[in-house]
Amino acid sequence: MATKVLERKPLSLAERSYLPQIVGGLKITMRNMLKPPVTLEYPDERPEIPVGYRGVPTLVRDPNGREKCVSCQLCEFVCPPKAIRITPGEIPEDAETAHVEKAPKEFEINMLRCIYCGLCQEVCPEEAIFLQDIYSVTGYTREEFAFKKEKLYELGGTLPDKHFKWDKKKAAEEHGNPHH
Amino acid sequence: MAVKEISIGDIGARAAAADEEFKGDEMVINMGPSHPATHGVLRLKVEVNGETVKACDPIIGYLHRGDEKIAENMTYNQFIPYTDRLDYIGPIHNNVTFAIAVERLAKLEVPPRCQAIRVICCELARLQSHLLGAGVYGMDTGALTVFMYTFTQREKLYTLMEQLTGARFTTSYTRIGGLARDIPEGWLGHVRKVVDEMEPVLDEIDALLSRNRIFYDRTVGVGVITKEDAIAYGLTGPCLRASGVPLDLRKDKPYCGYEQYDFDVPIGTNGDSYDRWLVRLEEMRQSIRIIKQAIDKMPDGPFYAEEAKKIFAPPKKKILTSMEELIQNFMIVTEGPQMPPGEVYFEAENPKGALGFYIVSRGGGVPYRLKIRSPSFCNLSIVPKIMPGHMIADIPVILGSLDFVMGECDR
């Protein structure tokens, strides 16, 4: 087993006089002083947010404008601090997206409880909830931090869809094959 | 004059005993719970005679959240965000330790790529933790500059974590049987650049403090922990190794493929505060060595255990297109990753010492009991033993050299 014993020598006379340390220390300080600054002038300069950042959870629509959430309540279940509250609702039968059957009537994320862990995004079987790159949430009252459905869709916007699974299902049903 | 002191934490036996304990000319003073030199919400009840400490009693529990009980009410994956909040100085290591503990329970092997990524994460966490430990230690002894330099480096590690996990601080990166996601493209290059830049900074910190007379005089011979005491009090991590015991779980009980990497275990000779500084500094250099080897040897392949159908959720693409995987996703989320009945104790070499998880399972996706053995709690237990005889100004130095974190101690 490789162990490394860290021996130490007592301070030499020169070191005890403290003078070489002052010179050496000031050298290091001067060298660092000449380096470019590492800080950001925050509100004017913004940090670069990497892809896949876990910011504020938002709800998204598909490119056709359909709300993707089908209120399966899996995110509500998995949320460790219980920040999400969903009231499921039916989609009226005469609507264009009636074959999806369900959509949330109410969807609330309490941002005072949210810990930005991203489990809701991970478990969502519809890719409807996304943690996007918003990192500063401010407000004056507690009520403002309970993000309602409208606010969540406004923050989320539209994201590209790779699968269009409900459109495929509808097309399959129209061709007489409900078990696509 | 006898001083009787009652506070909410002490009502009961402690308050009754206070009269007995603190008698005579000594004065009892409180340090903390929100004192900058106590490194978190730790309260020290110090009995002093003039400037000399006669007795020192740490009072803990100000950050108690009941993590162990919380764990009994949620699935294994849901508990991972809570492990971030144990040792929040190097959170990703707690994620890894917890994931390995549950995987041992399930007798699950993760693929080599997952292990290599976890090793890099662990060593980055060690760097994070020791950089903070070193910087704050410098600040406790009056050297503010070191703190600035170490925090500049720590900031870069936060950026790496942000790219890898999506969060700077609360990483929640591992899952039972794998990881939350694969490493992003070009990330290993960033890691290499950051650790390359860090090496000269470590030399700078070394040059600023190690042979500095003020630092030397303040730490040498202060807070000496003998080998026997260190073992008797259950110390682990750098505090134990500074006392000359070469115990490192990465070497002694290798996990996560640590046996493939070549690194040294630094040990001290005297067990005083100065040795603990030297050990931390050397451990950072060894961590950089491990990270470089891991980057060079990074294997290809999946980052999650593919055969674990009842443990690791299927890929998102399958969930969106196939009914079977959709149902499986719902099952794993609602029931939790399925574990066999049994119990397991696993401990890993966290930056602060041996973090252990003892899990009792009765089958299913929720632990029946989960006990956390936190290194900070054990390392802090030696404070009443080593404090007496020192001056008040030595208290921050000794606390800084022990480098504990209260989130983990109180859990």
Side-chain angles (χ1 to χ4, degrees), chain B residues 59-78:
Chain B
I59 293 154
I60 60 165
Y62 289 92
L63 214 56
H64 178 69
R65 292 145 300 175
D67 271 350
E68 294 178 3
K69 195 73 192 167
I70 289 172
E72 293 168 19
N73 294 309
M74 49 177 54
T75 64
Y76 292 100
N77 274 330
Q78 273 178 305

Side-chain angles (χ1 to χ4, degrees), chain A residues 52-71:
Chain A
Y53 182 76
R54 305 202 314 249
V56 171
T58 58
L59 291 175
V60 297
R61 294 177 187 277
D62 78 352
N64 300 333
R66 180 183 69 83
E67 54 178 312
K68 286 177 113 180
C69 179
V70 295
S71 65

Side-chain angles (χ1 to χ4, degrees), chain A residues 4 8 52 54 78 122 124, chain B residues 78 166 170 175 181 265 316:
Chain A
K4 185 171 178 182
R8 57 169 127 161
R54 305 202 314 249
V78 82
E122 191 172 301
C124 181
Chain B
Q78 273 178 305
T170 49
R175 295 291 177 267
R181 46 170 126 157
V265 178
K316 199 83 170 188

Side-chain angles (χ1 to χ4, degrees), chain A residues 24-50:
Chain A
L26 280 177
K27 242 192 230 165
I28 292 170
T29 313
M30 293 306 269
R31 206 161 53 220
N32 275 283
M33 237 166 79
L34 298 175
K35 282 182 192 164
V38 290
T39 46
L40 280 179
E41 304 272 333
Y42 170 61
D44 301 327
E45 289 175 70
R46 295 286 172 145
E48 198 183 315
I49 301 297

Side-chain angles (χ1 to χ4, degrees), chain B residues 128-156:
Chain B
Q128 268 184 336
S129 171
H130 286 357
L131 279 173
L132 181 120
V136 175
Y137 190 19
M139 215 158 59
D140 285 336
T141 53
L144 205 73
T145 322
V146 176
F147 177 76
M148 297 295 172
Y149 295 167
T150 56
F151 254 60
T152 310
Q153 297 305 310
R154 233 173 97 82
E155 176 62 33
K156 291 180 187 166

Side-chain angles (χ1 to χ4, degrees), chain B residues 236-383:
Chain B
T236 43
C239 297
L240 177 69
R241 290 192 283 276
S243 298
V245 186
L247 179 108
D248 190 323
L249 294 170
R250 294 175 291 173
K251 284 271 188 207
D252 299 340
K253 284 190 213 162
Y255 52 92
C256 218
Y258 263 114
E259 62 277 5
Q260 310 160 27
Y261 305 105
D262 182 27
F263 64 99
D264 298 329
V265 178
I267 58 168
T269 45
N270 294 29
D272 56 8
S273 300
Y274 187 71
D275 265 337
R276 293 194 273 280
W277 158 265
L278 290 181
V279 166
R280 291 220 171 81
L281 213 56
E282 184 57 34
E283 273 191 15
M284 283 195 263
R285 297 204 171 99
Q286 299 299 336
S287 288
I288 291 178
R289 255 176 89 187
I290 299 174
I291 290 173
K292 285 183 174 169
Q293 292 171 42
I295 292 175
D296 289 338
K297 286 198 263 189
M298 178 59 71
D300 282 331
F303 62 92
Y304 53 88
E306 275 177 309
E307 76 276 18
K309 290 266 184 280
K310 285 189 168 175
I311 293 174
F312 199 84
K316 199 83 170 188
K317 194 169 169 272
K318 289 270 181 62
I319 296 173
L320 284 159
T321 49
S322 147
M323 185 54 98
E324 252 96 275
E325 269 83 1
L326 181 68
I327 293 169
Q328 197 193 338
N329 181 47
F330 267 82
M331 291 300 286
I332 288 175
V333 172
T334 53
E335 308 269 298
Q338 294 302 300
M339 294 294 141
E343 52 192 72
V344 72
Y345 178 70
F346 172 74
E347 54 183 7
E349 189 67 32
N350 253 46
K352 305 278 191 290
L355 173 72
F357 286 100
Y358 176 63
I359 304 170
V360 181
S361 162
R362 291 194 162 180
V366 179
Y368 177 71
R369 170 84 170 97
L370 189 142
K371 162 91 180 87
I372 303 164
R373 186 254 187 230
S374 71
S376 297
F377 179 73
C378 298
N379 291 356
L380 201 57
S381 70
I382 202 158
V383 165

